Amino acid sequence: MTIAIGDKLPAATFKEKTADGPVEITTDQLFSGKRVVLFAVPGAFTPTCSLNHLPGYLENRDTILGKGVDDIAVVSVNDWHVMGAWAQSSGGMGKIHFLADWDAGFTKAVGLDTDLSAGGLGLRSKRYSMLLEDGVVKALNIEESPGQATVSGAAAMLELL
C-alpha cells in the first residue's frame, strides 16, 4: 500500500557518503522534529534525474530552506558509492542529503517501488516528492511517468510551501 498524506514514515536506515566515509542515518535522525523535503528518483545519473529533478532542488535550496524547511534529501535505489559520486559530480555534496536505499527497503515500505526491468534498471523508486513534518507526510507528489519531473520538482514544491 502506498503511503498517504497523514501517514508517518516507516522506520528505515539509509547510507550516506560523507567526508569521513559512509554513515548510516535513520528516518528518526533525518525527520524527527524537523520539516523536511524528500524527493526520490529512479536512479542517480539518469537523464531526467541529473538534468532536471536534482538541479531544480539544488538551484532552489536556499529559497526552500527560507520557507521554513530544515533540510532537503534525495533518495534512490542505488548504493552509497553511486549516491556519493552523484553528490560530488552535481555539486550537491553537503547541500542536501544523498540517501542510498541500497536494498529498496524504504522504497518498498512506502509503497513507491516500481519495476523498470523493461528499461534495464530493475526494481527502482517511483519519482516523487514529499513534504514531511516530524516524519509525517503533509504533501505527496507522485509522477505518472518516471521520465517527468513536474509535479515532484522543486518549482511544484515551492508552490506548496
Side-chain angles (χ1 to χ4, degrees), residues 37-70:
V37 169
L38 173 68
F39 68 103
V41 297
F45 292 108
T46 56
T48 302
C49 306
S50 291
L51 300 174
N52 184 346
H53 211 184
L54 175 62
Y57 280 97
L58 291 176
E59 290 163 11
N60 290 287
R61 176 186 176 269
D62 293 340
T63 304
I64 292 169
L65 296 178
K67 299 237 181 216
V69 171
D70 297 302

Side-chain angles (χ1 to χ4, degrees), residues 103-149:
D103 64 354
F106 174 78
T107 299
K108 290 182 210 173
V110 295
L112 290 166
D113 53 305
T114 187
D115 185 355
L116 297 178
S117 295
L121 295 175
L123 178 68
R124 295 295 173 142
S125 175
K126 291 181 179 180
R127 185 181 308 281
Y128 65 86
S129 65
M130 291 183 192
L131 176 62
L132 300 149
E133 292 181 12
D134 196 26
V136 175
V137 179
K138 296 298 180 180
L140 175 61
N141 312 300
I142 304 170
E143 295 290 348
E144 293 293 320
S145 166
Q148 297 175 355

Side-chain angles (χ1 to χ4, degrees), residues 23-43:
V23 296
E24 290 191 348
I25 187 165
T26 66
T27 47
D28 279 345
Q29 291 171 305
L30 282 166
F31 305 110
S32 289
K34 299 175 189 168
R35 190 171 189 225
V36 179
V37 169
L38 173 68
F39 68 103
V41 297

